[in-house]
Amino acid sequence: MSVRQSLLAILDRGVCYGSQLRAEYERRTGASVNVGQVYTTLERLERDGLVAGAGVDDEARVLWRPTAAGRAEARAWLTTASLAEGRDDVALKIALAVTLPGADVDAILSVQRAAVRAALDASDAEVADADAVPAAIVRAARKARLEADLRWLDEVARLTAAAVPFGLSEERPRRGRPARSTV
């Protein structure tokens, strides 16, 4: 899963500092991320105009907020299917989405399902070369994975029906990168 887009999606819920973003990511996905990766990603997002500083908190930790472009990228990522990502990456994306108020999880699943069906249809439409047993083996494996993905998405739809989105945690991690000195 893209940590970049995940952080943007979390920031869309409210301003956060780096260690807080890390804690929110782990709370929402169950996956871990290195705090150094969070800060490096924030610096790249700032460079790309997707986040901006939002001042400092009472403990001098730098706060971040998404720009309009950052909000648009996060929302586009949530609603775009991906067959290039592995199933675990798609699972983490959906797990994050079910925690975000306003995320249309049914639409996310629908778009992903449509992309899998389209890939399956394309796989079925491929003309088999009689002398290409290795290619047929690869096609069969791809088709089996895509069919499994459809069954998995059906199960995910059942599981997400009971999901309840939630806001940012009131509990703040004690660590955080302090504001840079301007001296």
Side-chain angles (χ1 to χ4, degrees), residues 16-181:
C16 295
Y17 56 92
S19 290
Q20 182 183 7
L21 278 170
R22 177 180 179 255
E24 286 290 337
Y25 177 87
E26 291 179 356
R27 175 175 164 239
R28 292 167 185 274
T29 66
S32 62
V33 63
N34 181 297
V35 74
Q37 182 181 2
V38 170
Y39 284 110
T40 300
T41 301
L42 284 168
E43 289 167 359
R44 289 182 182 143
L45 289 168
E46 181 181 37
R47 176 200 66 202
D48 296 343
L50 300 173
V51 301
V56 295
D57 68 5
D58 57 349
E59 294 185 32
R61 295 177 291 217
V62 177
L63 297 170
W64 298 93
R65 63 168 179 74
T67 62
R71 286 182 195 279
E73 182 169 319
R75 292 172 185 177
W77 171 71
L78 282 172
T79 59
T80 303
S82 177
L83 296 177
E85 296 177 344
R87 185 184 301 160
D88 288 344
D89 290 337
V90 174
L92 289 171
K93 177 177 166 178
I94 295 167
L96 176 67
V98 299
T99 71
L100 300 172
D104 188 347
V105 177
D106 290 337
I108 293 167
L109 291 173
S110 179
V111 167
Q112 188 67 33
R113 189 177 287 111
V116 172
R117 280 195 182 119
L120 190 54
D121 290 346
S123 176
D124 286 344
E126 290 179 9
V127 176
D129 182 352
D131 295 329
V133 172
I137 291 169
V138 172
R139 274 194 313 278
R142 177 165 170 74
K143 182 176 180 178
R145 277 192 306 276
L146 291 167
E147 290 169 342
D149 283 349
L150 286 175
R151 289 189 303 274
W152 173 76
L153 286 166
D154 290 340
E155 178 67 9
V156 169
R158 187 187 66 74
L159 293 170
T160 60
V164 178
F166 50 85
L168 296 175
S169 174
E170 295 297 320
E171 185 176 319
R172 302 285 188 247
R174 299 206 78 23
R175 296 182 138 184
R177 186 178 282 181
R180 294 183 190 127
S181 174

